[in-house]
Amino acid sequence: MSDHCGEVKTFVLDTNVLLHSSASVQCFKDNDVVIPMAVIEELDKFKKNSDELGRNARRVIRYLDRLREEFPGCAGDPDKGLPLSSISQETCGKLFVISAGAADEASINEADRAFDNDLLLDSPDNRILRVACFLRNRGRNVIFISKDINLRLKADALGLPVMDFERQKVKNFDRYTGFQDSAVDGSLVDEAYSKKELPGEKFPDLPDNGFILLTSNADERKSVVMRKHAGGNLLMLPHRVEKVWNLSPRNKEQRMALDLLLDPEVKLVTLLGGAGTGKTLLALAAALQQTLHENIYEKILVSRPIIPLGNDIGFLPGSKESKLSSWMQPIFDNLEFLLGGEEERKPKSSSRYSTEGLMNSHKLDLEALTYIRGRSIPRQFIIIDEAQNLTPHEVKTIISRCGSDSKMVLTGDPAQIDNPYLDASGNGLSYAADRLKGESIFGHVTLQRSERSELAALAAKKL
């Protein structure tokens, strides 16, 4: 690797970057990419996994093996490297695999010596940092890329420029709520009430399936909520919505969400919101209505990532259904509420029996996301709960399973993420909502007010 500074940067990648996205080595355009030997060793530990981490590890290993075969002896050569243009036309930099052995004591400068005892070679993370320090001290414009917050802190303490991997992060993710407010002349509100629609060219910035709350300048009490349909016109939402499977919307955001959920032309809906805002409940109510009453879909498929809150309870005995029942208890809670009806809130109502009846008749299926890869799912109402714990690639894989005449709903709260390498702007739910906004078959609403109970609303606001 030649000693030069200037425009070419050298990105040193941590293992978790490659496990998060196997295509990350192709994302740095004309800059150089370095994979420390310790990263290769850690990838080897994941390659046999059957989950997304294992698949990404295998893809990266195959990339490296393909380049090694085309350019033998170049990976570890500091003056040659492997041309990344061989695996991506958009990339013209070079890929290097560097051992921590190259970063011997002579390569650690005086500024680093205070940390030398903390960078022992028995730790893979320390060996990765030694490679980055070694290249930095040779004059390279090094940037260390990691999704591990602690490792970024250690790198920063060593004077290394650090970054998170932001290729699939959403900028200003919290600004797109699916609806907007607009103060207009009162005559426009009157026109909306009389005609029930407005021409779309009046609001050119409103995306397809986006909502707008028009409020009169003269009287704030005079307002109307409208949705821009794929045809271009804005249609008015009724002030009073009939109950959808024993459920009535309690605020304007819930009205918007139900409007999207009950529209078969909208094939994908993302619902974001805090605890108690009604994301899952609304999705299940719409699914029951359109599957059991309207026969638009043949069955309901519900799935959610198996990521526990707190310490895991370990392996569970029994069949797949009995194992999933513990993870799907939040779904059962919502179904009991919906199937029981507002006048039938009895301690031992028939709601659980009805839930079991739906499962026995195969009108309701519970599925682990592990088994969704490779499937094609037609004529089903698919609900993916807690989708904020999925990576952008996992969400892409799940959405691509949607078959003909199916509808998919992704729900979640980006503020409650249990995956250690995801955050509010880098998870699959936020990414999908941002990338797909404006598409004619996609709709999004951010639910803002907790309606679960007075106590739940207080906790969401104050704690």
Side-chain angles (χ1 to χ4, degrees):
M1 191 180 299
S2 56
D3 297 335
H4 66 281
C5 296
E7 294 184 357
V8 176
K9 301 181 179 68
T10 299
F11 292 95
V12 179
L13 306 188
D14 190 13
T15 313
N16 48 58
V17 176
L18 300 173
L19 293 175
H20 177 76
S21 172
S22 60
S24 56
V25 293
Q26 307 169 26
C27 297
F28 298 97
K29 297 184 178 180
D30 57 347
N31 299 298
D32 292 340
V33 176
V34 173
I35 299 180
M37 191 72 73
V39 170
I40 304 295
E41 295 173 2
E42 290 193 309
L43 288 177
D44 190 63
K45 299 176 183 178
F46 287 93
K47 68 181 182 182
K48 293 183 180 180
N49 289 14
S50 58
D51 56 9
E52 194 66 26
L53 299 180
R55 282 185 281 271
N56 285 337
R58 291 190 292 274
R59 287 194 193 101
V60 173
I61 292 170
R62 292 189 190 107
Y63 287 151
L64 298 178
D65 190 50
R66 173 181 159 189
L67 290 173
R68 178 195 60 79
E69 290 180 347
E70 291 185 23
F71 306 95
C74 294
D77 192 323
D79 297 313
K80 294 182 180 179
L82 302 170
L84 287 170
S85 57
S86 296
I87 58 175
S88 173
Q89 296 180 351
E90 299 178 357
T91 308
C92 57
K94 293 183 178 180
L95 175 67
F96 300 85
V97 179
I98 304 297
S99 169
D104 55 19
E105 189 171 341
S107 71
I108 305 293
N109 63 19
E110 290 299 325
D112 297 331
R113 289 191 187 281
F115 303 97
D116 197 21
N117 290 333
D118 295 325
L119 293 179
L120 301 177
L121 291 173
D122 58 350
S123 166
D125 287 351
N126 291 343
R127 295 200 296 272
I128 293 171
L129 289 176
R130 278 181 173 267
V131 169
C133 289
F134 163 66
L135 296 174
R136 187 267 312 273
N137 295 339
R138 288 195 61 182
R140 299 287 294 183
N141 186 7
V142 172
I143 299 176
F144 179 63
I145 309 293
S146 176
K147 299 191 73 63
D148 187 327
I149 297 175
N150 286 335
L151 200 53
R152 293 205 299 266
L153 290 172
K154 290 174 69 174
D156 187 70
L158 290 168
L160 290 167
V162 296
M163 291 178 60
D164 191 0
F165 181 67
E166 298 183 346
R167 175 66 178 237
Q168 294 173 311
K169 275 184 173 286
V170 177
K171 295 181 180 179
N172 302 323
F173 77 98
D174 56 343
R175 294 188 181 179
Y176 179 61
T177 60
F179 62 90
Q180 54 186 261
D181 297 327
S182 180
V184 298
D185 190 88
S187 61
L188 190 62
V189 177
D190 293 335
E191 181 184 350
Y193 270 105
S194 62
K195 296 182 179 179
K196 308 300 182 186
E197 69 176 295
L198 292 173
E201 54 264 23
K202 287 183 179 290
F203 303 95
D205 296 333
L206 186 66
D208 282 355
N209 296 316
F211 295 90
I212 187 166
L213 173 64
L214 303 179
T215 305
S216 171
N217 286 322
D219 185 358
E220 293 183 354
R221 294 173 298 177
K222 183 189 291 186
S223 63
V224 61
V225 178
M226 309 197 79
R227 170 183 153 204
K228 184 177 182 181
H229 284 247
N233 286 344
L234 279 67
L235 300 185
M236 184 180 117
L237 267 67
H239 269 286
R240 292 184 179 179
V241 180
E242 293 185 4
K243 288 185 178 181
V244 178
W245 206 272
N246 296 323
L247 183 70
S248 297
R250 295 186 176 181
N251 55 56
K252 66 179 186 298
E253 290 87 4
Q254 290 191 355
R255 286 167 55 205
M256 297 173 191
L258 276 178
D259 191 60
L260 293 173
L261 292 168
L262 294 173
D263 187 349
E265 297 302 316
V266 180
K267 303 298 184 182
L268 176 65
V269 178
T270 54
L271 299 179
L272 276 69
T277 52
K279 307 177 295 294
T280 307
L281 191 65
L282 292 168
L284 282 170
L288 291 168
Q289 177 74 21
Q290 295 174 91
T291 302
L292 301 184
H293 277 184
E294 300 175 8
N295 296 318
I296 298 175
Y297 307 102
E298 292 180 353
K299 64 167 64 174
I300 304 167
L301 176 64
V302 183
S303 188
R304 64 203 304 261
I306 300 179
I307 299 179
L309 174 64
N311 293 330
D312 197 348
I313 60 175
F315 291 102
L316 299 173
S319 63
K320 181 189 77 172
E321 288 73 18
S322 62
K323 292 178 181 179
L324 284 175
S325 63
S326 298
W327 301 105
M328 295 295 179
Q329 191 58 48
I331 305 299
F332 290 136
D333 292 342
N334 284 303
L335 284 171
E336 288 180 6
F337 181 88
L338 291 169
L339 295 172
E342 292 187 4
E343 288 80 27
E344 299 179 18
R345 303 285 182 245
K346 298 178 181 178
K348 293 184 179 181
S349 69
S350 60
S351 57
R352 173 53 66 96
Y353 172 80
S354 299
T355 301
E356 292 175 354
L358 289 176
M359 297 180 67
N360 292 335
S361 63
H362 300 291
K363 286 294 184 180
L364 172 66
D365 277 350
L366 307 179
E367 188 65 271
L369 285 177
T370 308
Y371 306 112
I372 206 168
R373 174 178 287 271
R375 293 187 59 186
S376 179
I377 308 173
R379 286 186 54 80
Q380 295 187 31
F381 195 109
I382 308 164
I383 301 173
I384 309 297
D385 199 24
E386 301 291 340
Q388 79 277 4
N389 284 313
L390 300 171
T391 68
H393 182 75
E394 287 171 334
V395 165
K396 176 183 177 181
T397 301
I398 292 166
I399 295 175
S400 63
R401 300 302 96 212
C402 218
S404 60
D405 300 320
S406 281
K407 186 187 188 82
M408 181 172 288
V409 182
L410 305 177
T411 70
D413 179 7
Q416 296 187 26
I417 295 178
D418 302 308
N419 188 316
Y421 297 125
L422 296 179
D423 57 26
S425 61
N427 65 87
L429 179 60
S430 298
Y431 182 74
D434 180 77
R435 295 282 294 185
L436 296 175
K437 64 183 176 183
E439 296 294 331
S440 61
I441 60 173
F442 169 75
H444 167 77
V445 174
T446 298
L447 302 166
Q448 298 180 341
R449 195 168 73 189
S450 177
E451 300 285 0
R452 179 173 291 158
S453 67
E454 183 180 359
L455 178 58
L458 179 64
K461 181 179 179 180
K462 297 289 188 180
L463 300 181

